[in-house]
Amino acid sequence: MPSLNTQDAANARRQLRRRRRQAFLFVVPLLVFILFAFVAPITTMLFRSVYNPTVAELVPETLEMLEDWSGEGLPDEATITRFAVDMKRMANDRTSGRLADEINRALPGMSSVVKSTARGLRRADDAELAANGAEMLLAENERWAKPATWRAIRSAGQVYTSSYYLTAVDLEYDSEGEIIMRDTQIYKQLYTKTLKMALIITGLTMLLGYPLAFYMSQASPATANFLMVFVLLPFWTSLLVRTTAWIALLQAGGVVNSTLLWAGLINQPIELLYNEFSTILAMTHILLPFMVLPLYAVMRGIDASFMRAAISMGSNPIGAWYKIYLPMSLPGLSAGALLVFIISVGYYITPALVGGTDGQMISNIIAFHMQVSNNWELAAALGSLLLILILVLYWLFDRFVGTDNLKLG
Amino acid sequence: MKDTKAETFLRFDNVKKSYDQENLVVKGFDMHVQEGEFITLLGPSGSGKTTVLMMLAGFESVTSGDIAINGRSINKTAPNKRNIGMVFQNYALFPHMTVAENLAYPLTVRKMPKAQIKERVAEYLALVELSAFGDRRPGQLSGGQRQRVALARAMIFQPTLILMDEPLGALDKNLREQMQFEITRLHKQIGFTVIYVTHDQTEALSMSDRIAVFNDGVVQQCAPPAELYERPVNAFVAEFIGENNFVRGKVTQIEGETAKVETDTGTITTQTSEGLTEGAQCRVSIRPEKLFIHPTTHAHDNALTATFITRIYVGDFIRYYFRLPDGTDIIVKVLNDLSAPEFEDGATAQLLSLTKDCIAFAN
Ligand SMILES: Nc1ncnc2c1ncn2[C@@H]1O[C@H](COP(=O)(O)OP(=O)(O)OP(=O)(O)O)[C@@H](O)[C@H]1O
Ligand SMILES: [Mg+2]
């Protein structure tokens, strides 16, 4: 093979570089967008779930002095005095409430103690406080005399902590620093329920979507388009309209209940709304397109001759479907299942609207911690666990089904 | 209805098919096929060939009429119980199975013992000369190899009847010829009956025992290749099979097997055909290779006077283009030997032919 001379080689290299640069320019907008809209927030969230500087910012000196404390008995008088002085300052610049929240999280019941102490020390004389602070603090509330209280302050003061992750899986540090089960077990159960509901929804969309997509793939284009409109209808109607429709249908005096009552099948309205049932129903409705679209795309590419060939060779239609058609449509089925499952694991709006307390999923609790209880760190920890869970599930999927068995378009 | 003629293996009896309850796609299809025959359905696109095949395989219902194998109607037999092998145009090899698994499929369905399946698969792989390819996926084979796998798969459960719907349609010319040879070889060697569908008339002429020429849902003629070529029963077949010249004229006299036809360039004597009446307009077909340019040593019965237009060199022969006074173009094929004449532009020439090579068809 004749080789290029140096001039040609340089030209070829330059052309290659230019092509690469052009190709890169095409994806730059997406990369920038992803960086700002996805990578940055997710990183912040992950960081927030282990980073909690509030207490450390409020009472830095106290925490520094607490470091020398053994954890047994009370800290020395200087430390307690320092804390009393801090308390007065916080009472006056109205940050004691934040401290109360933080310490309360480490040791329940401390919120009111901190707040009442803050009120008590607000008008204290500075000089007296500096000299006699420890005594005054201990007089405000007996719990200041307990070592557990100070351990709680010290643990709340840690800037980097795993306690939110422990909370997210229903564990906590006890006052000795050991990991124990929490009294209230909610999150693990909630994760299980979320997974269970996502599985049911995935199963239901498969059950509804597979035959439908199959029929659409065999039907004439006009019929297929017509059916496709029905599949896509949930996408085209406003969320609120859809939810209102479900409520009108399912509430105690709604269409379903009154029909059943009228038919004499039930004596009193059954609860169809604001529970797991309504959540699953509404989510199956909204997520069905994610199952049908990839299935339809794959099935349309499967020529009728494959089934015919199998049948002509003596296989009965069900056997031919199982051995030939199903494996060939699997890429669409797994793509649809994966989409529906992952979307429903993280679904928020439908459970919030029609789920009641019973139909809440993990995302609703995350939202609760972000909007109501203001515990962003816990919300971040729960969200990170959700992310990890989804990545693990995807990995399992890849192991057992294979991502090359996936067709998303 | 029981068939009395024992030798009729497959029989179509006035089979009709309508997809839309309005138009008949197949209009009264009749055919008798003997065991071991190679029958080709040949016809233009949309003439109903695939439909006939699908009705035979059981994938389309028969609107009316009867299809019988060995005298027993199979109209109501489920397609998986018909024991008919099929080769599809796109091969329909299962992409998620290896070649060997594809071949084993019809045997597995029949619950054949594993050892026997293995043996049979090896035997048929050898038969189509693909022994080394058993572990490949269909996607890793060339077009011709896929075709051979499809063929082996249709034969491996030893059906007595194999249907092929344009099996070579996707192959290039060389491969096509090779596969035509292959199919003929297997047919001779194993002796199954074949119903073969194609667009390609050379393919049909070279492979078949008999060809059924289809047009518009009706069989125009079903005959061995030579008869179809030499003795077409109507103008459609004469035009559809091979190349042909048509000269317009008027029948002046019919005498037994021959007729006199008056044309613009004189009277010619021709063979008659069905439906020809005295005094009616007609078209006389003459094959380009059956016309000779004067002067020639060949005997002749008829002569047409035509104007030379051009000649095209094709290699082994030369094509001459002439024009009759009424504007009809006439093609003459002459072997590329010393007798191929040269003409000036616009020169006139005498085109000679034998009565047995001219057929008059009613218009
Ligand atoms: N499933 C169907 N529904 C309605 N009409 C059909 C169907 N299949 C075929 N047809 C019509 O029936 C006629 C015959 O079709 P068929 O497929 O048998 O033709 P063909 O001779 O095989 O043509 P080709 O050589 O192009 O394959 C065509 O006009 C076609 O449009
Ligand atoms: Mg066809």
Side-chain angles (χ1 to χ4, degrees):
Chain A
M1 215 166 75
S3 56
L4 286 80
N5 64 33
T6 33
Q7 183 61 40
D8 291 344
N11 277 342
R13 261 201 311 279
R14 200 167 45 242
Q15 281 159 7
L16 185 69
R17 266 205 304 276
R18 201 167 73 211
R19 260 205 311 280
R20 287 219 184 108
R21 205 162 46 232
Q22 278 170 351
F24 181 69
L25 281 177
F26 279 108
V27 287
V28 159
L30 181 72
L31 287 179
V32 170
F33 181 74
I34 285 185
L35 191 67
F36 277 99
F38 188 74
V39 178
I42 292 274
T43 317
T44 321
M45 179 183 84
L46 287 172
F47 186 57
R48 215 175 233 284
S49 63
V50 292
Y51 176 69
N52 178 24
T54 315
V55 177
E57 279 164 5
L58 287 173
V59 289
E61 292 94 345
T62 311
L63 286 173
E64 206 168 297
M65 291 163 85
L66 271 176
E67 260 170 34
D68 304 331
W69 173 52
S70 68
E72 300 298 321
L74 282 180
D76 59 25
E77 208 177 300
T79 312
I80 301 181
T81 306
R82 178 71 238 174
F83 185 69
V85 173
D86 281 342
M87 278 295 267
K88 185 195 164 188
R89 175 178 48 76
M90 284 185 287
N92 285 319
D93 59 21
R94 299 183 189 285
T95 47
S96 57
R98 277 169 62 200
L99 186 76
D101 282 350
E102 294 294 331
I103 297 178
N104 193 55
R105 236 172 253 144
L107 185 64
M110 281 307 289
S111 178
S112 57
V113 177
V114 174
K115 282 177 186 158
S116 69
T117 307
R119 270 196 303 278
L121 292 180
R122 186 156 55 193
R123 302 257 173 267
D125 181 57
D126 274 342
E128 198 191 343
L129 201 58
N132 241 344
E135 216 166 288
M136 289 167 76
L137 187 81
L138 292 176
E140 283 291 335
N141 195 301
E142 65 200 19
R143 290 188 73 166
W144 295 120
K146 294 197 171 134
T149 305
W150 295 98
R151 280 198 293 267
I153 295 174
R154 190 166 66 175
S155 82
Q158 275 167 359
V159 178
Y160 292 98
T161 170
S162 60
S163 64
Y164 296 106
Y165 278 97
L166 290 179
T167 311
V169 290
D170 293 327
L171 298 172
E172 63 183 353
Y173 287 114
D174 67 0
S175 43
E176 268 80 50
E178 300 285 314
I179 295 174
I180 54 161
M181 301 274 270
R182 276 164 64 102
D183 300 337
T184 46
Q185 296 281 310
I186 41 173
Y187 299 116
K188 263 194 299 208
Q189 196 200 348
L190 203 59
Y191 274 114
T192 322
K193 191 169 92 176
T194 305
L195 289 183
K196 185 192 80 183
M197 283 169 74
L199 270 181
I200 295 177
I201 291 163
T202 311
L204 283 175
T205 49
M206 272 190 201
L207 227 55
L208 290 172
Y210 196 91
L212 177 69
F214 176 74
Y215 178 72
M216 276 168 41
S217 71
Q218 305 291 307
S220 69
T223 319
N225 281 340
F226 182 72
L227 286 171
M228 188 59 89
V229 169
F230 279 93
V231 173
L232 292 177
L233 218 51
F235 278 172
W236 298 346
T237 43
S238 135
L239 182 81
L240 288 174
V241 173
R242 227 175 321 126
T243 313
T244 318
W246 281 116
I247 291 172
L249 214 62
L250 298 176
Q251 66 190 342
V255 180
V256 174
N257 265 318
S258 25
T259 314
L260 289 176
L261 277 173
W262 175 81
L265 291 172
I266 51 172
N267 294 324
Q268 58 187 41
I270 41 176
E271 263 192 49
L272 296 171
L273 198 58
Y274 304 125
N275 54 21
E276 225 178 290
F277 170 79
S278 54
T279 313
I280 290 176
L281 198 66
M283 279 177 65
T284 304
H285 182 211
I286 178 76
L287 293 178
L288 190 59
F290 292 101
M291 179 62 80
V292 173
L293 291 175
L295 263 178
Y296 177 61
V298 168
M299 284 176 171
R300 243 194 3 185
I302 305 177
D303 197 271
S305 61
F306 289 102
M307 279 291 272
R308 288 180 165 179
I311 291 173
S312 78
M313 285 184 267
S315 173
N316 64 32
I318 293 175
W321 173 79
Y322 182 69
K323 286 278 192 203
I324 308 302
Y325 200 85
L326 185 62
M328 290 182 76
S329 60
L330 197 62
L333 191 64
S334 38
L338 196 69
L339 273 177
V340 170
F341 186 80
I342 285 179
I343 295 176
S344 46
V345 163
Y347 221 67
Y348 162 69
I349 194 79
T350 304
L353 288 171
V354 298
T357 43
D358 197 19
Q360 297 296 298
M361 297 175 80
I362 194 71
S363 322
N364 302 96
I365 289 299
I366 295 176
F368 168 81
H369 282 305
M370 283 172 59
Q371 293 162 351
V372 183
S373 79
N374 249 327
N375 191 348
W376 279 48
E377 293 78 13
L378 182 56
L382 286 168
S384 309
L385 277 187
L386 187 63
L387 185 67
I388 292 166
L389 188 73
I390 288 176
L391 289 177
V392 168
L393 287 170
Y394 185 76
W395 176 77
L396 283 176
F397 175 87
D398 190 31
R399 277 291 306 272
F400 292 108
V401 184
T403 29
D404 41 340
N405 244 334
L406 200 68
K407 193 162 184 300
L408 289 168
Chain B
M1 223 174 22
K2 283 273 174 210
D3 195 71
T4 43
K5 278 195 288 173
E7 73 267 27
T8 302
F9 167 63
L10 166 67
R11 199 194 59 218
F12 290 89
D13 205 12
N14 197 20
V15 171
K16 293 181 182 158
K17 174 69 185 177
S18 167
Y19 284 108
D20 54 3
Q21 285 85 45
E22 255 177 59
N23 306 301
L24 280 177
V25 169
V26 176
K27 310 167 181 165
F29 180 63
D30 281 302
M31 193 160 71
H32 290 229
V33 179
Q34 318 304 337
E35 188 141 18
E37 262 194 302
F38 195 119
I39 300 283
T40 297
L41 308 184
L42 179 66
S45 191
S47 57
K49 308 180 296 289
T50 300
T51 307
V52 166
L53 227 53
M54 286 301 146
M55 287 192 289
L56 181 51
F59 297 119
E60 289 293 350
S61 61
V62 175
T63 305
S64 83
D66 194 43
I67 303 176
I69 291 182
N70 287 325
R72 207 170 302 124
S73 166
I74 56 164
N75 276 14
K76 296 210 161 53
T77 312
N80 55 325
K81 300 268 189 280
R82 293 193 183 193
N83 207 36
I84 294 176
M86 278 196 90
V87 180
F88 293 85
Q89 180 168 4
N90 64 354
Y91 316 131
L93 297 179
F94 308 137
H96 56 291
M97 297 183 180
T98 64
V99 167
E101 284 166 346
N102 263 283
L103 291 194
Y105 185 77
L107 307 179
T108 323
V109 167
R110 285 171 172 71
K111 307 216 161 46
M112 194 186 257
K114 280 224 160 57
Q116 217 176 322
I117 292 183
K118 223 174 147 207
E119 210 172 288
R120 181 85 72 87
V121 167
E123 179 193 338
Y124 274 78
L125 276 176
L127 192 66
V128 293
E129 292 157 3
L130 286 175
S131 294
F133 295 84
D135 293 330
R136 294 233 196 144
R137 296 277 165 127
Q140 300 164 315
L141 298 179
S142 75
Q145 290 166 339
R146 278 181 223 179
Q147 181 56 60
R148 278 186 281 168
V149 176
L151 212 57
R153 195 180 63 173
M155 300 186 306
I156 198 166
F157 59 103
Q158 300 176 337
T160 43
L161 179 59
I162 295 183
L163 315 183
M164 306 190 193
D165 192 352
E166 306 198 31
L168 309 181
L171 303 181
D172 66 42
K173 192 167 165 291
N174 278 338
L175 212 48
R176 242 172 129 110
E177 275 165 16
Q178 201 182 322
M179 284 308 301
Q180 286 170 12
F181 178 75
E182 195 85 340
I183 292 173
T184 320
R185 171 178 75 86
L186 291 167
H187 170 244
K188 293 243 161 63
Q189 189 176 339
I190 300 173
F192 44 78
T193 310
V194 179
I195 310 287
Y196 191 96
V197 166
T198 183
H199 266 123
D200 181 342
Q201 42 162 307
T202 15
E203 195 170 296
L205 290 171
S206 63
M207 297 173 80
S208 326
D209 292 323
R210 281 194 294 153
I211 300 170
V213 179
F214 249 71
N215 189 32
D216 206 16
V218 179
V219 175
Q220 306 287 331
Q221 185 173 8
C222 180
E227 188 181 331
L228 214 56
Y229 192 81
E230 310 282 347
R231 295 286 309 149
V233 296
N234 59 31
F236 176 81
V237 178
E239 195 166 11
F240 192 71
I241 305 285
E243 235 181 339
N244 228 330
N245 294 303
F246 286 96
V247 181
R248 286 176 190 290
K250 187 176 156 195
V251 185
T252 52
Q253 187 191 352
I254 298 181
E255 247 182 39
E257 289 286 282
T258 59
K260 287 211 177 319
V261 176
E262 194 183 295
T263 70
D264 282 0
T265 54
T267 305
I268 49 184
T269 55
T270 69
Q271 307 267 59
T272 56
S273 68
E274 188 125 328
L276 201 67
T277 51
E278 271 181 38
Q281 294 293 325
C282 72
R283 292 195 295 163
V284 178
S285 79
I286 316 169
R287 298 266 179 211
E289 71 274 17
K290 305 285 185 184
L291 279 168
F292 306 101
I293 302 166
H294 183 78
T296 174
T297 54
H298 288 273
H300 68 273
D301 305 315
N302 302 317
L304 297 169
T305 309
T307 316
F308 172 78
I309 297 171
T310 184
R311 61 175 239 166
I312 294 175
Y313 183 84
V314 200
D316 49 354
F317 56 85
I318 296 171
R319 295 164 68 87
Y320 288 83
Y321 288 83
F322 294 96
R323 186 162 293 158
L324 293 181
D326 66 353
T328 315
D329 282 330
I330 300 286
I331 300 168
V332 180
K333 261 160 123 174
V334 177
L335 259 181
N336 185 10
D337 58 15
L338 296 173
S339 70
E342 302 270 356
F343 285 104
E344 302 265 316
D345 268 3
T348 53
Q350 294 281 309
L351 306 179
L352 313 175
S353 60
L354 290 168
T355 301
K356 74 169 180 64
D357 294 328
C358 303
I359 310 172
F361 296 108
N363 252 358

